[in-house]
Amino acid sequence: MKTYDEINKKIEAKKAVVMTAHEIMDYVDKKGLDAAAKEVDVVTTATFGPMCSSGCFLNFGQSTPKIRISEAWIDDVLVYSGVAAVDMYLGATQLRHNDPANMYFPGEFRFGGGHVIEKLVAGEDLQLFALSYGTQEYPNREVRTVFNINDLNQAIMVNPRNCYQNYNVAINCSDKKIYTYLGQLKKNMKNLTYCSAGQLSPLLNDPFYKTIGVGTKVWLAGAQGHVYSEGTQHCSDGERSENGVPTGGAGTLALTGNMKDMHPEFVRGASFRGYGVSLSLGVGIPIPILNTEILKHTCVRDRDILAPVIDYSVDYPQKTGKIICQLNYEQLKSGEVTIGEKSVSVSSLSSYNKALKIANILKDEISSGDFLLAEPHQMLPMNQGMKSLEIREPK
Amino acid sequence: MKSKKVLIILPKTEIEKPIVNDLIKYYDLTIKIIRAKITPEEEGYILINIIGAADDIERGITFLNTLNIQMQDAERGLQWHEDHCVHCGNCLSHCPTGSLSFIDRVTMQFNFNKETCIECLNCIQNCPHGAFSSIFEQK
């Protein structure tokens, strides 16, 4: 019905009709699917939450004399330097050197890779400490200096797994409080935590990956980035509801973008007591309304998206596969749910408020002609499963 | 009946004085102790909610001012740093008084009501982004 080219021409002419995934549902109810599909060009989706599989490549430029860095730390956080002389990869979950971790349980994990990434994007000064064994053309063996993002040649965020299509709801059925990456879970199912933007979340609005694929342009914390691959653990063959929406983890995206264009509001270090550090990140993805089917999927409502409630005291760590029940995001977002006869208080680690803000920013950028869409050049795999790690003895 | 939340920081010289007793006995006030830490022969603090008639509260505060103490508005206890808050809501189910809430369940915008906060500090432990701090935090 519409093509990417046609939509982009309308965007360039500032005539594109753009709505957020939050607005489109009521609009389609009012206008009807066919009429709305003709009228609306783009629906913006978004999510903001902790995304552990994030990190960045940094290039420092050369010191005089030159150095071939073999080990390095930024603000005492180890960066991987087995890439090239002054190329490094900083991972979001890397702990600070000498962090006691969970030695005195539960550890606080106040600072780590995610916080370094936050400071970089905020333009703050950081300390680089780098060592080398020295070579004839790279004789320098040690560098200690202060730098900020403007001093770097490149600071490119490269995240192997973002935007989980759906996610577990964590609960604790044991009689002891537990600390997880989904927060503190009180004993005897007193609270639970979910982590998804639900009806605003990108892959829940495009459940069969009809428009989001390799090459899709995304809004990554304010920068115009793109999907460079299926995400790690992309697992599209799981159970789906009648509307096509997966009822568990499912698809993921690998994203990249220039950190020099990012906004610090949407790149935030995160500390989880008893677990570790991570990075909370804001992502927006535009969905071109090429036909009525694509529009129909963007009208998914919180009440139509189910998430599995899993016991993180036993069933998650032991991979039993047991699901206590399924809850929809309308129930979860109400703040209190009933499981069996028990009333359970709800926490969230995903910020719907920030996601909504991102969906609106992206809508404004597209409406004002500043953000063009890109057609994916490779679709994400459907019917793909996920392997487990088998522990084998050497032959 | 009115109420006023104050934080009293006691230097070594005032630690032994029965301040709470005096407020109750001589000024006809009800005192709710929210949080206190008093170490003999060292400094201490006490965060109280003073409840009573407006003029009794005023007389009580005048009395407190005669002591060698530092008195601060209770807001100096738990602080919500809006700039750090991402409005995720992870703290909500850890707050025993409902002082942490969403303004509505459509935009999911977070709100902190300092009037009802009892300074339990659960939120500090449960905020991944460091949006809360308190002088009572044990570091």
Side-chain angles (χ1 to χ4, degrees):
Chain A
M1 212 169 82
K2 278 190 225 120
T3 67
Y4 279 87
D5 277 350
E6 285 163 2
I7 293 173
N8 274 337
K9 280 193 181 116
K10 283 178 85 175
I11 295 173
E12 281 174 325
K14 300 180 186 178
K15 284 181 180 161
V17 179
V18 189
M19 287 190 188
T20 67
H22 186 87
E23 296 164 330
I24 193 69
M25 304 169 289
D26 289 342
Y27 191 76
V28 167
D29 278 355
K30 198 172 76 185
K31 281 266 174 169
L33 195 63
D34 289 333
K38 276 183 198 142
E39 192 190 340
V40 178
D41 299 304
V42 183
V43 169
T44 60
T45 65
T47 182
F48 180 98
M51 303 195 195
C52 277
S53 190
S54 296
C56 56
F57 281 103
L58 307 173
N59 179 285
F60 281 87
Q62 269 296 357
S63 59
T64 309
K66 288 186 176 179
I67 185 167
R68 183 226 172 279
I69 294 173
S70 55
E71 287 175 280
W73 295 261
I74 299 174
D75 272 11
D76 291 335
V77 176
L78 184 72
V79 289
Y80 180 73
S81 49
V83 187
V86 287
D87 277 341
M88 268 153 261
Y89 187 79
L90 166 65
T93 65
Q94 185 70 48
L95 302 187
R96 181 162 52 182
H97 181 66
N98 277 342
D99 189 306
N102 269 337
M103 192 178 285
Y104 308 104
F105 191 79
E108 290 188 54
F109 304 100
R110 288 185 181 211
F111 190 87
H115 301 88
V116 174
I117 294 171
E118 174 182 324
K119 282 180 79 175
L120 268 169
V121 171
E124 290 179 33
D125 277 350
L126 296 128
Q127 183 190 241
L128 170 71
F129 177 55
L131 297 172
S132 173
Y133 48 81
T135 71
Q136 287 182 310
E137 73 278 48
Y138 295 107
N140 203 348
R141 290 183 178 220
E142 185 176 325
V143 161
R144 191 186 287 276
T145 185
V146 170
F147 74 98
N148 63 47
I149 195 167
N150 299 315
D151 299 317
L152 301 177
N153 287 314
Q154 284 80 26
I156 306 164
M157 190 171 274
V158 178
N159 303 339
R161 182 174 66 256
N162 285 170
C163 298
Y164 238 121
Q165 195 165 15
N166 199 344
Y167 210 76
N168 297 342
V169 177
I171 199 164
N172 172 16
C173 300
S174 78
D175 57 3
K176 273 187 191 152
K177 176 162 67 178
I178 61 169
Y179 298 84
T180 74
Y181 66 82
L182 284 169
Q184 244 184 73
L185 300 171
K186 298 181 201 177
K187 63 182 181 179
N188 300 325
M189 301 177 33
K190 286 209 173 69
N191 72 322
L192 56 75
T193 312
Y194 71 94
C195 189
S196 170
Q199 64 193 12
L200 255 189
S201 186
L203 290 177
L204 290 173
N205 281 278
D206 184 9
F208 296 112
Y209 328 120
K210 298 279 186 196
T211 69
I212 302 174
V214 179
T216 294
K217 209 159 118 192
V218 304
W219 186 100
L220 186 55
Q224 296 194 6
H226 64 267
V227 179
Y228 69 84
S229 163
E230 67 185 79
T232 53
Q233 294 178 20
H234 176 86
C235 174
S236 44
D237 74 348
E239 202 177 291
R240 289 171 187 257
S241 303
E242 267 178 39
N243 57 9
V245 171
T247 56
T252 68
L253 301 173
L255 303 180
T256 183
N258 187 352
M259 280 166 74
K260 296 193 181 196
D261 297 334
M262 290 183 184
H263 193 288
E265 181 183 350
F266 304 104
V267 184
R268 304 291 306 282
S271 300
F272 295 96
R273 193 169 271 251
Y275 171 74
V277 292
S278 186
L279 182 73
S280 290
L281 194 62
V283 182
I285 303 188
I287 295 181
I289 304 306
L290 305 173
N291 55 50
T292 49
E293 190 201 346
I294 287 167
L295 178 65
K296 193 178 170 195
H297 284 303
T298 65
C299 295
V300 71
R301 287 179 186 271
D302 281 330
R303 62 172 175 260
D304 302 320
I305 309 167
L306 294 170
V309 181
I310 292 174
D311 178 6
Y312 269 56
S313 71
V314 175
D315 296 323
Y316 180 83
Q318 299 305 328
K319 290 178 71 180
T320 67
K322 189 181 155 198
I323 290 169
I324 291 171
C325 63
Q326 288 178 321
L327 294 170
N328 68 50
Y329 284 95
E330 190 175 277
Q331 292 169 311
L332 291 165
K333 277 168 70 181
S334 75
E336 198 165 311
V337 294
T338 307
I339 296 179
E341 289 184 351
K342 222 174 157 71
S343 174
V344 185
S345 155
V346 180
S347 291
S348 165
L349 277 167
S350 179
S351 170
Y352 193 83
N353 186 265
K354 284 267 188 248
L356 201 52
K357 190 172 180 180
I358 293 164
N360 277 303
I361 293 172
L362 180 56
K363 174 185 163 179
D364 291 346
E365 287 183 13
I366 296 169
S367 301
S368 57
D370 296 329
F371 193 109
L372 293 174
L373 311 188
E375 186 171 356
H377 48 78
Q378 187 187 324
M379 302 324 284
L380 299 178
M382 282 298 299
N383 306 314
Q384 179 169 284
M386 187 155 61
K387 294 186 174 84
S388 289
L389 177 66
E390 275 183 49
I391 308 300
R392 290 198 292 245
E393 293 293 321
K395 280 180 185 164
Chain B
M1 293 290 257
K2 298 235 167 185
S3 76
K4 186 174 171 66
K5 209 154 92 172
V6 287
L7 168 67
I8 301 165
I9 296 173
L10 303 149
K12 203 170 163 179
T13 55
E14 308 296 283
I15 286 274
E16 302 292 326
K17 291 190 178 164
I19 296 170
V20 171
N21 175 69
D22 289 352
L23 287 172
I24 297 167
K25 199 166 172 184
Y26 303 119
Y27 300 94
D28 200 21
L29 294 165
T30 300
I31 305 295
K32 276 192 191 169
I33 300 173
I34 297 167
R35 180 173 278 271
K37 184 183 178 188
I38 292 171
T39 315
E41 295 181 18
E42 281 180 32
E43 280 193 334
Y45 63 73
I46 179 163
L47 175 67
I48 53 175
N49 206 3
I50 306 175
I51 301 157
D55 55 339
D56 287 336
I57 292 178
E58 205 172 304
R59 288 193 308 122
I61 297 288
T62 309
F63 156 70
L64 289 174
N65 279 324
T66 65
L67 303 170
N68 179 26
I69 57 169
Q70 281 179 49
M71 205 166 26
Q72 297 173 350
D73 282 344
E75 291 88 75
R76 293 291 295 275
L78 187 78
Q79 300 246 14
W80 171 49
H81 307 287
E82 202 170 347
D83 289 355
H84 287 69
C85 179
V86 304
H87 304 261
C88 64
N90 186 46
C91 53
L92 262 60
S93 61
H94 300 280
C95 176
T97 60
S99 304
L100 312 174
S101 64
F102 284 128
I103 290 169
D104 62 70
R105 292 273 166 183
V106 180
T107 63
M108 310 288 270
Q109 191 180 340
F110 176 80
N111 183 51
F112 170 49
N113 180 359
K114 59 189 166 200
E115 296 303 319
T116 52
C117 172
I118 56 164
E119 313 267 345
C120 71
L121 311 187
N122 279 352
C123 51
I124 294 181
Q125 286 193 12
N126 285 283
C127 178
H129 304 100
F132 297 98
S133 67
S134 166
I135 58 162
F136 305 129
E137 190 185 7
Q138 305 283 321
K139 286 194 178 162

